[in-house]
């Protein structure tokens, strides 16, 4: 997922970085979906289940501006985007009960003569927004973008949709256990308190904050748009959401692009424990880059020296927290926080992202010597997000989705044994990826996890060095969906590719598929 995706989160560099970590579509037939008439909008099953009023609702499209200081809404209006709210049931088993709203946006097709249909977007997370994404995706789609209605949406309880916020003192609960038992025990107490806070504030909705319900919301959106089938573009966790949609609603999707995929059998609150090797490789590659910028950041002239700088930072932070920044923006970081920053920083191997991580490590290194450094606005924002409750709503809903989708082990000693077992081989990232979280104290999920029972002809896009949703995950999903095709980018330590990484080969092949609806005859490879 873009979990520690960033898990794709708010559209600032820091928020995106914090959420990264964080998944699966399928295509149906290549026929162009036509607008359904009012008499055919509701499928038979929905007509007899009490859901017809949701599928048949008429959307009131209008301005995206919600308040005088809503700059995102003004930008969307200026780009020609329209916004609306879709009403969905909180509980699909009780459709006549409480309702919530899901925010959607639409950038209409301009080449109406060759219109293909609507394409729904999800940026991952879980908990990422996409209402503001249609203009960005239209640009990535180039000429074919004019043939689609591009639909962004904020999943239930995310962004502009009906909100959920547990009032947490931290924005997300994903930190390392640190060097010893004391750090782990503190995190056990924090995780337990965060789960209790969510139960105290949102107990009535938590059982319904799930990927399966978001997939059901997607189908209501499809019906409300008047589409018999809908295409889909999902990144990271969004590939898992797309896969779930294909399993719940076979035959209701057209072209599906899954970028940075997770196989459903691997999806769980402990997903990142399988990505330690890729993150260590990405950190090593970053360290090699940093050697060429020693005069700027002073981290070391060899890869070994750069990694030794990180070791010194960690050792110092384990003895006493490091103070970084200048008043009023000062922060105290210990050995439970720093691995999270490093983990977030290696999800992108572009020069800009590598420089941002080098800046952070340089500040931390100076702090070990008692030297104060002013922080860039981006680093300040990232630390605020990580160490305060500024992003409580994001962390609350992301955790609620993960815990609501699949159960986590409940015994803290199991996590501690896993941490101790992994320290020798993975001293930096092992205590992070094996650490306990709020899901250990959450109520059990209301539904069983989704398993693949239907083939789905998706285009799966993956980088060989993806440190979040690993390449192994994309290969596993490809194996589970025999009709899918895998588009591999070799040599990139990067999470999320299409339209974001700037690889012309990847973008061209995805756009060709979106234009024709035909998957390539065999798996394809691009090179960084």
């Amino acid at each position: 997922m873009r979990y520690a995706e960033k898990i794709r989160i708010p559209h600032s560099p820091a928020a995106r970085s914090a959420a990264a970590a964080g998944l699966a579509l399928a295509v149906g037939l290549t026929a162009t979906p036509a607008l359904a008439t009012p008499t055919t909008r509701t499928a038979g099953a929905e007509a007899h289940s009490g859901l017809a009023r949701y599928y048949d609702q008429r959307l009131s499209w209008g301005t995206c501006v919600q308040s005088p200081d809503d700059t995102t809404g003004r930008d969307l209006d200026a780009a020609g985007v329209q916004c609306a709210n879709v009403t969905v049931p909180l509980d699909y088993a009780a459709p006549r009960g409480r309702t919530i709203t899901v925010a959607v946006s639409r950038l209409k097709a301009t080449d109406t003569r060759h219109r293909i249909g609507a394409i729904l977007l999800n940026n991952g997370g879980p908990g990422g927004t996409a209402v503001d994404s249609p203009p960005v995706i239209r640009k990535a789609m180039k000429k074919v973008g004019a043939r689609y209605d591009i639909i962004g949406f904020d999943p239930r309880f995310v962004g502009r949709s009906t909100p959920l916020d547990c009032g947490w003192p931290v924005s997300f609960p994903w930190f390392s256990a640190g060097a010893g038992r004391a750090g782990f025990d503190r995190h056990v107490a924090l995780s337990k308190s965060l789960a209790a806070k969510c139960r105290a504030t949102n107990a009535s909705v938590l059982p319904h904050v799930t990927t399966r319900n978001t997939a059901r919301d997607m189908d209501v959106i499809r019906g409300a748009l008047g589409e018999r089938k809908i295409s889909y573009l999902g990144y990271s966790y969004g590939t898992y959401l797309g896969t779930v949609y294909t399993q719940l609603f076979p035959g209701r999707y057209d072209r599906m692009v899954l970028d940075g995929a997770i196989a459903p059998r691997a999806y769980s609150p402990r997903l990142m424990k399988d990505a330690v090797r890729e993150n260590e490789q990405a950190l090593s590659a970053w360290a090699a880059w940093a050697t060429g910028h020693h005069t700027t950041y002073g981290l070391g002239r060899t890869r070994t020296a750069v990694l030794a700088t990180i070791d010194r930072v960690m050792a110092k932070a384990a003895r006493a927290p490091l103070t970084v920044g200048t008043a009023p923006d000062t922060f105290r970081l210990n050995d439970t926080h720093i691995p999270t920053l490093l983990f977030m920083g290696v999800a992108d191997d572009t020069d800009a992202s590598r420089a941002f991580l080098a800046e952070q490590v340089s500040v931390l290194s100076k702090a070990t010597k008692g030297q104060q450094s002013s922080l860039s606005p981006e680093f300040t924002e990232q630390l605020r997000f990580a160490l305060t409750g500024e992003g409580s709503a994001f962390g609350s809903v992301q955790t609620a989705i993960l815990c609501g989708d699949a159960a986590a082990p409940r015994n803290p000693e199991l996590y501690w044994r896993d941490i101790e077992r992994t320290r020798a081989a993975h001293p930096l990232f092992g205590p992070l990826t094996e650490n306990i979280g709020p899901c250990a104290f959450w109520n059990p999920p209301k539904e069983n996890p989704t398993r693949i029972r239907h083939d789905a002809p998706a285009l799966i896009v993956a980088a060989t060095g993806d440190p979040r949703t690993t390449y192994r995950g994309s290969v596993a999903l490809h194996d589970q969906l025999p009709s899918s095709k895998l588009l591999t980018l070799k040599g990139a330590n990067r999470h999320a590719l299409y339209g974001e990484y700037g690889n012309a080969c990847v973008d061209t092949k995805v756009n060709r598929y979106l234009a024709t609806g035909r998957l390539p005859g065999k798996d394809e490879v691009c090179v960084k």
Side-chain angles (χ1 to χ4, degrees), residues 10-60:
H11 281 260
S12 68
R16 285 212 210 96
S17 177
L23 305 126
L25 293 171
V27 320
L29 304 177
T30 58
T32 300
L35 282 175
T37 64
T39 58
T40 63
R41 297 178 78 186
T42 306
E46 285 74 32
H48 297 290
S49 65
L51 295 174
R53 68 186 179 107
Y54 300 105
Y55 278 83
D56 290 342
Q57 66 186 290
R58 300 292 177 172
L59 303 184
S60 298

Side-chain angles (χ1 to χ4, degrees), residues 337-358:
H337 304 129
I338 292 167
T340 303
L341 296 178
L342 297 170
F343 193 90
M344 292 189 289
V346 298
D348 184 350
D349 65 2
T350 60
D351 282 347
S353 292
R354 284 177 162 173
F356 183 44
L357 180 57

Side-chain angles (χ1 to χ4, degrees), residues 235 259 347-351 353-354 463 489-504 506-507 527-528:
Y235 296 90
D259 192 323
D348 184 350
D349 65 2
T350 60
D351 282 347
S353 292
R354 284 177 162 173
L489 177 62
K490 285 189 173 181
N493 297 316
R494 164 70 191 214
H495 181 60
L497 299 174
Y498 171 67
E500 295 199 356
Y501 193 53
N503 185 275
V506 168
D507 291 353
V527 179
K528 178 182 173 181

Side-chain angles (χ1 to χ4, degrees), residues 57 62 67 161 193 233 250 312 403 417 483 490 500 524:
Q57 66 186 290
S67 66
S161 299
S193 70
L233 167 62
R312 286 193 295 273
C403 302
R417 288 195 296 270
S483 296
K490 285 189 173 181
E500 295 199 356
E524 296 188 321

